[in-house]
């Protein structure tokens, strides 16, 4: 197998996309356990990275959907797309991935990839190069059904969890113990994410090898492709997608341990079932649907529909936006070698600008989820001794929050202030009742003394 320069460039870019997929989608598994205090932030991303690595070796059905289904075969048996077009499609996917990451939107890395590839394939070989049946049955319909299904399951599971733990005798319900179960459920999501999402990059690399005539059509990915994709997504996951963790962990709804466990279990079940069937769905959409469903299922919980609307808009525009960028990159790539160079330079410039822009409003493990937002039940897993410390920068101030996080913090602050006011009112009422009882007792004693004195005087007269 002799690699050409363009094939090597595509493989490198595909692995970089896999890396961005990892840190873009870390929140799918670890946002809720971090928000409830089930896991410390750094512990969570390490666990997710390891399980993503393992999960990538479990299946290749989704990879086959991309490498041998989405793009049609030509008359000679090869796919109707060249490595240059795959390169352009990856640029579209990466650019959209980083833009949504910058704004903390949990959009679909999967649909960004599909959009970029479709846009490039249409420019390179026309609309006939896309298998509409595969696109509809294994990409578009799962995109609509999966988050709805996960949300319904999470809603039902949350209702059941709160119903079976409800106490009527005034004692503690013990729901904080669900945070221990969250460690298992979030781990299952990380495993499922590696099983589903790492395969998409495997499919892209395999598609490139088939297009370059270096691999027979209809065959699955080589072991070195599986291993390299598994490592890339694991490293991306370890780097942590803290902006999106903030949105899913505190921006959609206030997540409690029982609620988080229900959401994570629903997410994992949906992803694993879809991976088995070869559906290349978005783990981000599934996780978001589960969090919203669990928020609706917990009595007294509030879903921030404005944030939901922003996320839904991101979902809606992902395929066409990534497709448009991929198509423009494909038009430039058709110029030949110089076109590829121009694509690479422009893509690198956009990537560097986005990372530079992100430094102006840095979000990391320290401030992704504010300390007051974490459930009072505390951390189930601790790496060190002592209580959780307040987050501060070198200047002694908390880094500026995104608009989503600011809204969440204001809402939580208002709730805490209302609860504090309620407790103070109850305390004032108890003190007033105590003072009234004391005054009544004093008045009764005074009346009794007067009555006794009157009887004494009457006796003396006799």
């Amino acid at each position: 197998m002799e690699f050409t320069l363009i094939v090597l460039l595509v493989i490198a870019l595909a692995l970089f996309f896999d890396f961005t997929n990892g840190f873009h989608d870390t929140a799918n598994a670890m946002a809720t356990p971090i928000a409830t205090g089930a896991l410390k932030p750094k512990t969570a991303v390490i666990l997710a990275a390891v399980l993503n690595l393992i999960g990538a070796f479990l299946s290749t059905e989704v990879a086959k959907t991309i490498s041998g289904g989405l793009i049609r075969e030509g008359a000679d048996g090869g796919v109707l797309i060249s490595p240059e077009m795959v390169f352009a499609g990856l640029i579209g996917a990466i650019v959209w991935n980083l833009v949504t990451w910058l704004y903390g939107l949990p959009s679909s890395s999967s649909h960004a990839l599909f959009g970029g590839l479709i846009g490039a394939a249409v420019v390179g070989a026309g609309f006939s190069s896309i298998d509409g049946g595969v696109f509809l049955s294994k990409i578009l319909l799962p995109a609509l059904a999966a988050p709805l299904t996960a949300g319904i399951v999470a809603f039902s599971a949350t209702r059941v969890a709160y119903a079976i733990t409800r106490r009527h005798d005034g004692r503690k319900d013990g729901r904080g113990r669900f945070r221990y179960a969250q460690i298992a459920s979030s781990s299952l999501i990380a495993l499922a994410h590696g099983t589903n999402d790492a395969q998409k990059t495997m499919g892209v690399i395999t598609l490139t090898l088939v297009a370059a005539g270096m691999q027979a059509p209809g065959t699955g990915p080589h072991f070195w492709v599986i291993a390299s994709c598994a490592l890339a997504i694991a490293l991306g996951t370890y780097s942590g997608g803290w902006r999106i963790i903030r949105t899913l962990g505190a921006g959609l709804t206030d997540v409690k341990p029982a609620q988080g466990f229900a959401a994570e279990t629903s997410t994992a079940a949906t992803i694993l079932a879809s991976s088995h069937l070869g559906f290349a769905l978005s783990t981000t959409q599934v996780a978001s649907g589960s969090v919203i469903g669990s928020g609706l299922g917990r009595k007294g919980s509030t879903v921030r529909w404005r944030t939901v609307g922003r996320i839904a808009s991101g979902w809606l525009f992902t395929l066409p936006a990534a497709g448009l960028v991929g198509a423009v990159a494909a038009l430039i790539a058709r110029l030949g070698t110089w076109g590829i160079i121009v694509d690479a330079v422009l893509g690198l410039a956009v990537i560097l600008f986005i990372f530079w822009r992100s430094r102006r409003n840095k979000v990391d493990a320290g401030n992704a989820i504010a300390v007051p937002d974490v459930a009072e039940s505390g951390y189930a897993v601790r790496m060190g001794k002592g209580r959780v410390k307040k987050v501060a920068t070198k200047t002694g101030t908390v880094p500026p929050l995104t608009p989503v996080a600011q809204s969440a913090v204001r809402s939580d602050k208002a709730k805490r202030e209302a609860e504090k006011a309620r407790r103070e009112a109850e305390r004032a009422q108890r003190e007033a009742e105590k003072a009234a009882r004391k005054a009544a007792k004093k008045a009764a004693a005074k009346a009794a003394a007067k009555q006794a004195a009157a009887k004494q005087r009457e006796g003396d007269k006799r």
Side-chain angles (χ1 to χ4, degrees), residues 447-462:
K450 285 183 178 180
Q451 187 176 5
K455 287 183 179 181
Q456 181 67 33
R457 287 194 297 271
E458 187 175 345
D460 291 340
K461 288 179 181 180
R462 292 177 181 176

Side-chain angles (χ1 to χ4, degrees), residues 202-229:
M202 298 176 201
V204 170
I205 295 177
T206 303
L207 177 67
T208 304
L209 296 176
V210 172
M214 303 171 68
Q215 183 172 334
T219 56
H222 295 295
F223 178 79
W224 67 267
V225 174
I226 297 174
S228 58
C229 291

Side-chain angles (χ1 to χ4, degrees), residues 339-361:
I340 296 294
I341 294 174
V342 171
D343 270 345
V345 171
L346 290 177
L348 180 61
V350 172
I351 291 169
L352 292 177
F353 172 77
I354 291 174
F355 276 110
W356 170 79
R357 179 66 178 78
S358 70
R359 304 296 295 179
R360 295 175 58 183
N361 183 18

Side-chain angles (χ1 to χ4, degrees), residues 30-41:
M30 295 303 167
T32 48
I34 291 174
T36 62
L39 289 169
K40 291 179 70 68

Side-chain angles (χ1 to χ4, degrees), residues 28-38 154 157-158 161-162 175 178-179 181-186 189 248-249 253-268 287 290-291 293-295 298 375:
N28 298 343
M30 295 303 167
T32 48
I34 291 174
T36 62
T158 303
Y162 276 81
R175 289 174 186 150
F178 273 102
R179 66 185 186 273
Q182 277 192 274
I183 299 174
S185 57
S186 60
I189 295 177
L248 278 182
T253 184
D254 302 317
V255 183
K256 303 302 179 183
Q259 177 186 352
F261 174 71
E264 292 152 16
T265 305
S266 306
T267 300
S290 295
V291 172
S294 67
R298 181 169 69 88

Side-chain angles (χ1 to χ4, degrees), residues 196-409:
N196 194 281
D197 277 45
Q199 290 187 60
K200 293 158 190 171
T201 308
M202 298 176 201
V204 170
I205 295 177
T206 303
L207 177 67
T208 304
L209 296 176
V210 172
M214 303 171 68
Q215 183 172 334
T219 56
H222 295 295
F223 178 79
W224 67 267
V225 174
I226 297 174
S228 58
C229 291
L231 184 60
I233 199 170
L235 290 174
T237 302
Y238 176 71
S239 68
W242 303 110
R243 293 173 180 272
I244 301 174
I245 285 176
R246 170 182 282 177
T247 300
L248 278 182
L252 284 175
T253 184
D254 302 317
V255 183
K256 303 302 179 183
Q259 177 186 352
F261 174 71
E264 292 152 16
T265 305
S266 306
T267 300
T270 304
I271 296 172
L272 287 174
S274 300
S275 298
H276 177 70
L277 296 172
F279 293 154
L281 53 72
S282 166
T283 55
T284 304
Q285 290 181 353
V286 175
S288 301
S290 295
V291 172
I292 295 169
S294 67
L296 293 172
R298 181 169 69 88
K299 187 177 181 180
S301 178
T302 301
V303 176
R304 300 180 181 96
W305 292 108
R306 186 175 180 180
T307 304
V308 174
R310 291 178 65 243
I311 293 174
S313 298
W315 292 354
L316 182 65
F317 287 108
T318 293
L319 270 169
L324 180 62
V325 177
V328 171
L331 286 171
I332 298 174
R334 294 184 70 175
L335 299 175
T337 303
W338 284 108
I340 296 294
I341 294 174
V342 171
D343 270 345
V345 171
L346 290 177
L348 180 61
V350 172
I351 291 169
L352 292 177
F353 172 77
I354 291 174
F355 276 110
W356 170 79
R357 179 66 178 78
S358 70
R359 304 296 295 179
R360 295 175 58 183
N361 183 18
K362 187 177 180 181
V363 181
D364 53 24
N367 67 340
I369 302 292
V371 173
D373 294 333
V374 177
E376 295 179 359
S377 52
Y379 287 112
V381 176
R382 297 179 182 271
M383 296 299 289
K385 297 180 179 179
R387 297 180 179 179
V388 180
K389 296 181 179 179
K390 293 183 178 180
V391 180
T393 61
K394 293 180 180 179
T395 60
T397 59
V398 177
L401 303 179
T402 62
V404 172
Q406 289 174 1
S407 175
V409 170

